PDB file of all heavy atoms in Angstrom:
ATOM      1  N   SER A  30    -130.378  27.752 -26.576  1.00  0.00           N
ATOM      2  CA  SER A  30    -131.819  27.675 -26.308  1.00  0.00           C
ATOM      3  C   SER A  30    -132.087  26.893 -25.026  1.00  0.00           C
ATOM      4  O   SER A  30    -132.972  27.242 -24.243  1.00  0.00           O
ATOM      5  CB  SER A  30    -132.536  27.000 -27.479  1.00  0.00           C
ATOM      6  OG  SER A  30    -132.296  27.686 -28.667  1.00  0.00           O
ATOM      7  N   TRP A  31    -131.301  25.851 -24.811  1.00  0.00           N
ATOM      8  CA  TRP A  31    -131.430  25.052 -23.593  1.00  0.00           C
ATOM      9  C   TRP A  31    -131.101  25.903 -22.357  1.00  0.00           C
ATOM     10  O   TRP A  31    -131.773  25.797 -21.331  1.00  0.00           O
ATOM     11  CB  TRP A  31    -130.508  23.836 -23.681  1.00  0.00           C
ATOM     12  CG  TRP A  31    -130.547  22.954 -22.487  1.00  0.00           C
ATOM     13  CD1 TRP A  31    -131.485  21.995 -22.198  1.00  0.00           C
ATOM     14  CD2 TRP A  31    -129.616  22.933 -21.401  1.00  0.00           C
ATOM     15  NE1 TRP A  31    -131.179  21.395 -21.006  1.00  0.00           N
ATOM     16  CE2 TRP A  31    -130.038  21.947 -20.501  1.00  0.00           C
ATOM     17  CE3 TRP A  31    -128.460  23.653 -21.116  1.00  0.00           C
ATOM     18  CZ2 TRP A  31    -129.355  21.661 -19.333  1.00  0.00           C
ATOM     19  CZ3 TRP A  31    -127.784  23.379 -19.951  1.00  0.00           C
ATOM     20  CH2 TRP A  31    -128.228  22.390 -19.075  1.00  0.00           C
ATOM     21  N   ILE A  32    -130.109  26.765 -22.460  1.00  0.00           N
ATOM     22  CA  ILE A  32    -129.749  27.632 -21.336  1.00  0.00           C
ATOM     23  C   ILE A  32    -130.873  28.626 -21.040  1.00  0.00           C
ATOM     24  O   ILE A  32    -131.194  28.882 -19.870  1.00  0.00           O
ATOM     25  CB  ILE A  32    -128.410  28.356 -21.615  1.00  0.00           C
ATOM     26  CG1 ILE A  32    -127.267  27.341 -21.520  1.00  0.00           C
ATOM     27  CG2 ILE A  32    -128.187  29.507 -20.652  1.00  0.00           C
ATOM     28  CD1 ILE A  32    -125.914  27.898 -21.863  1.00  0.00           C
ATOM     29  N   VAL A  33    -131.504  29.182 -22.080  1.00  0.00           N
ATOM     30  CA  VAL A  33    -132.639  30.095 -21.879  1.00  0.00           C
ATOM     31  C   VAL A  33    -133.770  29.364 -21.170  1.00  0.00           C
ATOM     32  O   VAL A  33    -134.371  29.877 -20.214  1.00  0.00           O
ATOM     33  CB  VAL A  33    -133.111  30.694 -23.219  1.00  0.00           C
ATOM     34  CG1 VAL A  33    -134.422  31.447 -23.055  1.00  0.00           C
ATOM     35  CG2 VAL A  33    -132.047  31.600 -23.810  1.00  0.00           C
ATOM     36  N   LEU A  34    -134.065  28.143 -21.619  1.00  0.00           N
ATOM     37  CA  LEU A  34    -135.123  27.351 -20.980  1.00  0.00           C
ATOM     38  C   LEU A  34    -134.762  27.027 -19.529  1.00  0.00           C
ATOM     39  O   LEU A  34    -135.611  27.128 -18.638  1.00  0.00           O
ATOM     40  CB  LEU A  34    -135.370  26.066 -21.765  1.00  0.00           C
ATOM     41  CG  LEU A  34    -136.413  25.121 -21.180  1.00  0.00           C
ATOM     42  CD1 LEU A  34    -137.779  25.796 -21.113  1.00  0.00           C
ATOM     43  CD2 LEU A  34    -136.474  23.849 -21.987  1.00  0.00           C
ATOM     44  N   LEU A  35    -133.528  26.666 -19.283  1.00  0.00           N
ATOM     45  CA  LEU A  35    -133.080  26.356 -17.927  1.00  0.00           C
ATOM     46  C   LEU A  35    -133.234  27.566 -17.015  1.00  0.00           C
ATOM     47  O   LEU A  35    -133.721  27.444 -15.877  1.00  0.00           O
ATOM     48  CB  LEU A  35    -131.617  25.893 -17.962  1.00  0.00           C
ATOM     49  CG  LEU A  35    -130.981  25.515 -16.631  1.00  0.00           C
ATOM     50  CD1 LEU A  35    -131.656  24.282 -16.062  1.00  0.00           C
ATOM     51  CD2 LEU A  35    -129.498  25.262 -16.830  1.00  0.00           C
ATOM     52  N   ALA A  36    -132.876  28.744 -17.500  1.00  0.00           N
ATOM     53  CA  ALA A  36    -133.013  29.964 -16.703  1.00  0.00           C
ATOM     54  C   ALA A  36    -134.475  30.269 -16.416  1.00  0.00           C
ATOM     55  O   ALA A  36    -134.838  30.628 -15.281  1.00  0.00           O
ATOM     56  CB  ALA A  36    -132.365  31.140 -17.426  1.00  0.00           C
ATOM     57  N   GLY A  37    -135.339  30.116 -17.409  1.00  0.00           N
ATOM     58  CA  GLY A  37    -136.755  30.403 -17.217  1.00  0.00           C
ATOM     59  C   GLY A  37    -137.418  29.446 -16.240  1.00  0.00           C
ATOM     60  O   GLY A  37    -138.145  29.872 -15.332  1.00  0.00           O
ATOM     61  N   VAL A  38    -137.167  28.161 -16.393  1.00  0.00           N
ATOM     62  CA  VAL A  38    -137.776  27.177 -15.490  1.00  0.00           C
ATOM     63  C   VAL A  38    -137.221  27.338 -14.077  1.00  0.00           C
ATOM     64  O   VAL A  38    -137.957  27.204 -13.094  1.00  0.00           O
ATOM     65  CB  VAL A  38    -137.574  25.745 -16.031  1.00  0.00           C
ATOM     66  CG1 VAL A  38    -137.991  24.706 -15.013  1.00  0.00           C
ATOM     67  CG2 VAL A  38    -138.368  25.555 -17.309  1.00  0.00           C
ATOM     68  N   SER A  39    -135.945  27.658 -13.973  1.00  0.00           N
ATOM     69  CA  SER A  39    -135.364  27.895 -12.640  1.00  0.00           C
ATOM     70  C   SER A  39    -136.022  29.083 -11.955  1.00  0.00           C
ATOM     71  O   SER A  39    -136.314  29.029 -10.751  1.00  0.00           O
ATOM     72  CB  SER A  39    -133.860  28.146 -12.752  1.00  0.00           C
ATOM     73  OG  SER A  39    -133.200  27.029 -13.263  1.00  0.00           O
ATOM     74  N   ALA A  40    -136.258  30.153 -12.694  1.00  0.00           N
ATOM     75  CA  ALA A  40    -136.896  31.338 -12.116  1.00  0.00           C
ATOM     76  C   ALA A  40    -138.332  31.052 -11.703  1.00  0.00           C
ATOM     77  O   ALA A  40    -138.776  31.467 -10.628  1.00  0.00           O
ATOM     78  CB  ALA A  40    -136.857  32.498 -13.112  1.00  0.00           C
ATOM     79  N   VAL A  41    -139.070  30.322 -12.538  1.00  0.00           N
ATOM     80  CA  VAL A  41    -140.448  29.973 -12.185  1.00  0.00           C
ATOM     81  C   VAL A  41    -140.465  29.049 -10.975  1.00  0.00           C
ATOM     82  O   VAL A  41    -141.283  29.205 -10.055  1.00  0.00           O
ATOM     83  CB  VAL A  41    -141.178  29.329 -13.391  1.00  0.00           C
ATOM     84  CG1 VAL A  41    -142.505  28.731 -12.975  1.00  0.00           C
ATOM     85  CG2 VAL A  41    -141.380  30.352 -14.487  1.00  0.00           C
ATOM     86  N   GLN A  42    -139.564  28.087 -10.944  1.00  0.00           N
ATOM     87  CA  GLN A  42    -139.497  27.149  -9.811  1.00  0.00           C
ATOM     88  C   GLN A  42    -139.164  27.884  -8.518  1.00  0.00           C
ATOM     89  O   GLN A  42    -139.687  27.571  -7.458  1.00  0.00           O
ATOM     90  CB  GLN A  42    -138.448  26.073 -10.084  1.00  0.00           C
ATOM     91  CG  GLN A  42    -138.327  25.031  -9.002  1.00  0.00           C
ATOM     92  CD  GLN A  42    -139.461  24.043  -9.037  1.00  0.00           C
ATOM     93  OE1 GLN A  42    -139.966  23.719 -10.096  1.00  0.00           O
ATOM     94  NE2 GLN A  42    -139.857  23.553  -7.877  1.00  0.00           N
ATOM     95  N   HIS A  43    -138.301  28.887  -8.622  1.00  0.00           N
ATOM     96  CA  HIS A  43    -137.893  29.643  -7.442  1.00  0.00           C
ATOM     97  C   HIS A  43    -139.063  30.400  -6.828  1.00  0.00           C
ATOM     98  O   HIS A  43    -139.183  30.493  -5.606  1.00  0.00           O
ATOM     99  CB  HIS A  43    -136.762  30.613  -7.804  1.00  0.00           C
ATOM    100  CG  HIS A  43    -136.295  31.453  -6.667  1.00  0.00           C
ATOM    101  ND1 HIS A  43    -135.583  30.934  -5.615  1.00  0.00           N
ATOM    102  CD2 HIS A  43    -136.462  32.776  -6.411  1.00  0.00           C
ATOM    103  CE1 HIS A  43    -135.328  31.906  -4.762  1.00  0.00           C
ATOM    104  NE2 HIS A  43    -135.844  33.036  -5.218  1.00  0.00           N
TER     105      HIS A  43
END
Side-chain angles (χ1 to χ4, degrees):
S30 303
W31 179 81
I32 288 176
V33 170
L34 178 61
L35 180 66
V38 171
S39 297
V41 169
Q42 182 76 34
H43 179 71

